[in-house]
């Protein structure tokens, strides 16, 4: 034996049979770790006969290589085996991990919340067309021919179809429902509307509204106010306050605009409420008797209230979004940030 200690170690390396991860780790520590058994043999180099030093060095390197090779081979074998065992134990009846799904659009989230709130008090869903005729969008809704809302500036008319337009508000659905249904009527109509407006951070040529309509015997302004207060508290919390300011809409009399108290805590609150703390969220009023008549409902027997709210505005507020255009650009980095169960 030329190098008895080294040869002893070689035998040990060749003879050891690690079977488990733990045994393999012990093998690694013994032959490849920072305090491995081969190291001290290198330190003895100086004591070796100079003529034999070269072959001693080569022998030690070979020893190291053998240990490394064995370690790598056994490592991959043990890993493969452990994968196989895991696969063998796999519960094939277990449900697969959930797929990553798309997220809901913020407008959709807010709209669904509004719908939910009104459904709870008996309003049912009435959806209708976005391409409307002038009669349902304007005439039935008591909007005279010379009313500024009919102006070419505001309304998208269809070039090839006389009298047809993209609805400018969901109030058109009021006319659709009233001409087809007998009271009592209690509906909400969510949907997209269009106006020929310059696109900016605050306004867009397309947006969403939710319309509400309630027609029955003896419906009063107090019913309207109470319904809106209920809405505000469901949407903005039990402490929410609202105020109604007299206003004008051709299809309601009296008409009002509804503000919700937003607060004045931050600088942004001051900016978005113009220093008042109040934010306008919708228009409303008692359905004008002329509108009832236009749609074939007798105003001597029935009365009702209506309201219409913008959704984007409430989405911008709820999520502190600064630019309405982001809602329509479909940038996935923006859309991924919104989650909701409804
Ligand atoms: N249609 C109106 C608009 O787009 C909003 C509105 C006001 C709807 C009063 C109503 C209402 O039903 O009663 O500005």
């Amino acid at each position: 034996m030329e190098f008895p200690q080294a040869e002893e170690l070689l035998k040990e390396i060749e003879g050891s049979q690690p079977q488990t991860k733990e045994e393999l780790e012990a093998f690694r520590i013994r032959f490849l770790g920072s305090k491995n058994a081969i190291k001290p043999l290198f330190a003895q180099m100086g004591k070796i006969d100079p003529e034999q030093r070269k072959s001693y060095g080569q022998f030690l390197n070979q020893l190291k290589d053998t240990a490394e090779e064995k370690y790598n081979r056994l490592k991959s074998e043990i890993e493969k085996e452990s994968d196989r065992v895991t696969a063998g134990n796999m519960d094939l009846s277990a449900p697969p991990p959930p797929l990553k799904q798309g997220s809901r659009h913020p407008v959709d989230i807010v709209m669904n919340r509004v719908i939910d709130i009104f459904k709870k008090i008996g309003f049912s869903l009435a959806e209708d067309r976005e391409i409307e005729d002038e009669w349902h969008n304007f005439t039935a809704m008591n909007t005279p021919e010379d009313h500024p809302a009919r102006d070419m500036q505001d309304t998208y008319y269809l070039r090839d179809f006389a009298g047809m337009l993209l609805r400018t508000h969901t109030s058109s659905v009021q006319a659709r429902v009233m001409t087809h249904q007998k009271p009592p009527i209690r509906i909400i109509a969510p949907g997209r509307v269009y106006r020929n407006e310059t696109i900016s951070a605050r306004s867009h040529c397309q947006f969403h509204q939710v319309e509400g309509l309630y027609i029955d015997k003896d419906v009063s302004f107090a019913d309207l106010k109470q319904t809106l207060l209920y809405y505000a508290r469901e949407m903005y919390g039990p402490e929410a306050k609202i105020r109604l300011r007299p206003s004008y809409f051709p299809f309601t009399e009296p008409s009002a605009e509804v503000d919700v108290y937003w607060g004045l805590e931050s600088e942004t609150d001051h900016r978005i409420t113009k220093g008042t703390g109040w934010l306008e969220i919708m228009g409303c009023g008692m359905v004008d008797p002329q509108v009832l008549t236009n749609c074939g409902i007798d105003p001597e027997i029935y009365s009702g209230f209506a309201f219409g709210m913008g959704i984007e505005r409430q989405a911008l507020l709820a999520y502190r979004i600064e630019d309405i255009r982001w809602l329509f650009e479909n940038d996935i980095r923006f859309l991924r940030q919104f989650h909701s169960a409804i």
Side-chain angles (χ1 to χ4, degrees), residues 124-261:
S124 55
L125 213 56
E127 284 173 297
D128 219 297
R129 66 214 68 188
E130 292 177 14
I131 297 176
E132 256 304 352
D133 53 49
E134 272 180 299
W135 191 83
H136 288 91
N137 195 82
F138 290 131
T139 316
M141 301 313 289
N142 213 19
T143 307
E145 292 252 2
D146 52 1
H147 193 279
R150 285 208 182 194
D151 199 305
M152 291 294 281
Q153 296 295 311
D154 294 321
T155 308
Y156 288 115
Y157 285 91
L158 271 63
R159 194 183 294 138
D160 298 331
F161 298 91
M164 299 299 283
L165 46 82
L166 297 182
R167 67 179 177 195
T168 59
H169 53 184
T170 44
S171 302
S172 58
V173 185
Q174 288 191 34
R176 289 269 163 205
V177 171
M178 284 191 280
T179 48
H180 287 103
Q181 254 170 263
K182 292 278 144 271
I185 293 170
R186 194 159 24 173
I187 57 103
I188 39 166
R192 201 191 302 250
V193 301
Y194 304 84
R195 281 182 209 173
N196 192 359
E197 280 184 28
T198 312
I199 298 173
S200 72
R202 294 267 127 213
S203 67
H204 211 284
C205 60
Q206 54 169 346
F207 51 99
H208 297 75
Q209 292 185 330
V210 174
E211 191 82 12
L213 176 68
Y214 180 30
I215 312 275
D216 204 346
K217 288 175 183 155
D218 302 322
V219 178
S220 70
F221 200 87
D223 296 324
L224 168 61
K225 208 172 149 188
Q226 208 53 39
T227 306
L228 299 179
L229 184 60
Y230 157 79
Y231 166 74
R233 289 187 172 161
E234 288 286 310
M235 192 71 177
Y236 296 101
E239 304 296 317
K241 286 188 287 187
I242 57 167
R243 72 176 184 190
L244 273 66
R245 276 179 295 107
S247 184
Y248 170 78
F249 297 103
F251 30 89
T252 43
E253 181 57 37
S255 303
E257 272 167 318
V258 184
D259 297 341
V260 64
Y261 190 69

Side-chain angles (χ1 to χ4, degrees), residues 192 204 206-208 312 324-330:
R192 201 191 302 250
H204 211 284
Q206 54 169 346
F207 51 99
H208 297 75
E312 275 74 4
I324 194 172
R325 289 169 289 196
W326 293 346
L327 295 173
F328 299 106
E329 277 167 10
N330 285 334

